[in-house]
């Protein structure tokens, strides 16, 4: 089992627990209003792709807790951290205090887990006027990268009301999958054999995009996260009606798209601009590829060297 300790930190009210609940606990955005403040540290174990377990520490952001983390609990909190996700409320009126706590957090990380990956989420961007968002994000990103030195940080803009939340968390999970490059290579091979425009691999529980293969350019750079968001909401609607979502086919004169259960821990989406390809041919290739991708899941520490072969 591949376990990763992930710290989720930030000031109280910044939106940490809301985003965690949407991604991992199947909340919808409007339901997060009933969530209370996190008290001290909430631990949860999130299993992805069968072998990857995120040991998620959601750290309450009230001042008394924050001071405690950096003093009496410093070693316990910050030891053996693989990933730090620090959430900033873009509309915070206490920027100096936000910066102080972030720098204290970085000092503790540098002392106890210097190899940890650092991610900063500039959150609640939906509250910023749309034509100002790019500028404000760029300014915050520049400031945070300077503050983070000698550590490197990756910044994302996020909101629980659009696809940006899925974009950020998909990117973070992607970096944690040990053999993601091999999965990606196999997905590209599959796309070539299938003659597909694009192939996407979704984690089954969260519907985060964990890998994709693209053979033709597309103008919408956020399409993957939009699909994640839409399909996950559709799955939740199905579950409320006691129905089980397994597969979907969308076809018109311009394209054909298939979403299907793939391995025990993933869904696959295949998109083809050749709408004349029979559905049965695509589904046969999906079924033929399952065993290869199941091997990749089961043995993420020892990549398979077997060739990718399946029917046409």
């Amino acid at each position: 089992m591949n376990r990763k300790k992930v710290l989720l930190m930030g000031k109280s009210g910044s939106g940490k627990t809301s985003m965690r609940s949407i991604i991992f606990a199947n909340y919808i955005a409007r339901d997060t209003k009933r969530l209370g403040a996190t008290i001290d540290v909430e631990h949860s174990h999130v299993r992805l792709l069968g072998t990857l377990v995120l040991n998620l520490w959601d750290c309450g952001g009230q001042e008394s807790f924050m001071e405690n983390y950096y003093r009496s609990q410093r070693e316990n909190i910050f030891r053996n951290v693989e990933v730090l996700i620090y959430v900033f409320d873009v509309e915070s009126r206490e920027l100096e205090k936000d910066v102080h706590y972030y720098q204290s957090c970085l000092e503790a990380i540098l002392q106890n887990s210097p190899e940890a990956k650092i991610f900063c989420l500039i959150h609640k961007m939906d509250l910023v006027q749309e034509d100002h968002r790019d500028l404000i994000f760029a300014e915050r990103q520049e400031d945070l990268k300077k503050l983070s030195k000698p550590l490197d940080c990756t910044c994302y803009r996020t909101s629980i009301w659009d696809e940006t939340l899925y974009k950020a968390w998909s990117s973070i999970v992607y970096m944690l999958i040990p053999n993601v490059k091999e999965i990606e290579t196999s997905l590209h091979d599959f796309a070539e054999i299938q003659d597909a425009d694009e192939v996407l691999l979704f984690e089954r529980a969260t519907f985060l995009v964990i890998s994709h293969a693209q053979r033709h350019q597309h103008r919408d750079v956020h399409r993957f996260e939009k699909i994640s968001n839409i399909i996950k909401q559709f799955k939740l609607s199905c579950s409320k009606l006691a129905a089980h979502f397994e597969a979907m086919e969308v076809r018109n004169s311009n394209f054909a798209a298939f979403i299907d259960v793939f391995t025990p821990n993933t869904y696959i989406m295949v998109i083809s601009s050749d709408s004349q390809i029979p559905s049965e041919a695509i589904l046969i290739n999906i079924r033929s590829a399952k065993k290869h991708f199941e091997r990749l899941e089961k043995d993420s520490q020892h990549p398979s060297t077997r060739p990718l072969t399946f029917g046409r």
Side-chain angles (χ1 to χ4, degrees), residues 129-237:
Q129 191 173 318
E130 191 168 357
D131 57 351
H132 293 167
R133 290 175 189 171
D134 288 346
L135 177 60
I136 288 175
F137 175 72
E139 290 174 347
R140 297 290 175 89
Q141 178 176 239
E142 184 180 1
D143 291 342
L144 288 170
K145 284 185 174 292
K146 288 178 181 176
L147 284 170
S148 301
K149 290 182 178 179
L151 297 168
D152 291 324
C153 80
T154 303
C155 299
Y156 296 99
R157 67 182 86 188
T158 55
S159 166
I160 64 172
W161 299 101
D162 62 28
E163 71 280 353
T164 55
L165 188 64
Y166 284 87
K167 170 67 174 178
W169 281 90
S170 289
S171 300
I172 292 168
V173 169
Y174 175 89
M175 293 184 184
L176 293 174
I177 299 170
N179 62 334
V180 70
K181 292 299 182 184
E182 187 181 4
I183 293 173
E184 208 158 61
T185 298
S186 293
L187 213 58
H188 276 279
D189 291 343
F190 177 73
E192 290 286 342
I193 292 168
Q194 184 70 61
D195 196 24
D197 292 35
E198 289 185 318
V199 179
L200 282 71
L201 203 61
F202 299 96
E203 199 280 321
R204 191 164 182 170
T206 61
F207 237 82
L208 294 173
V209 177
I210 55 174
S211 186
H212 77 278
Q214 177 182 345
R215 297 178 64 235
H216 300 289
Q217 292 297 318
H218 196 285
R219 63 179 180 274
D220 187 353
V221 297
H222 302 296
R223 62 197 179 282
F224 302 153
E225 294 74 39
K226 289 177 181 176
I227 292 168
S228 287
N229 197 2
I230 291 167
I231 298 299
K232 188 168 185 182
Q233 300 310 312
F234 180 69
K235 279 183 65 185
L236 293 176
S237 298

Side-chain angles (χ1 to χ4, degrees), residues 92-103:
S92 173
R93 299 291 184 262
E94 299 179 306
L95 286 177
E96 286 187 12
K97 189 175 289 185
D98 295 345
V99 167
H100 166 70
Y101 283 130
Y102 178 58
Q103 287 184 310

Side-chain angles (χ1 to χ4, degrees), residues 299-310:
D299 199 11
S300 61
Q301 298 304 316
H302 304 284
S304 170
T305 57
R306 302 182 195 183
L308 180 63
T309 57
F310 30 76

Side-chain angles (χ1 to χ4, degrees), residues 61-128:
Q62 295 92 327
E63 286 189 34
S64 59
F65 295 142
M66 297 287 270
E67 294 292 344
N68 194 31
Y69 302 150
Y70 303 134
R71 293 176 183 171
S72 61
Q73 293 193 63
R74 188 181 186 93
E75 186 176 347
N76 179 47
I77 295 286
F78 294 99
R79 183 180 52 202
N80 300 323
V81 174
E82 294 268 354
V83 173
L84 167 67
I85 302 171
Y86 205 97
V87 182
F88 292 89
D89 181 347
V90 72
E91 292 226 309
S92 173
R93 299 291 184 262
E94 299 179 306
L95 286 177
E96 286 187 12
K97 189 175 289 185
D98 295 345
V99 167
H100 166 70
Y101 283 130
Y102 178 58
Q103 287 184 310
S104 297
C105 184
L106 291 178
E107 289 171 8
I109 286 288
L110 197 57
Q111 181 181 1
N112 293 278
S113 302
E115 300 301 317
K117 296 180 175 67
I118 313 295
F119 299 93
C120 292
L121 307 187
I122 315 302
H123 195 46
K124 303 185 181 180
M125 288 294 291
D126 57 285
L127 300 178
V128 177

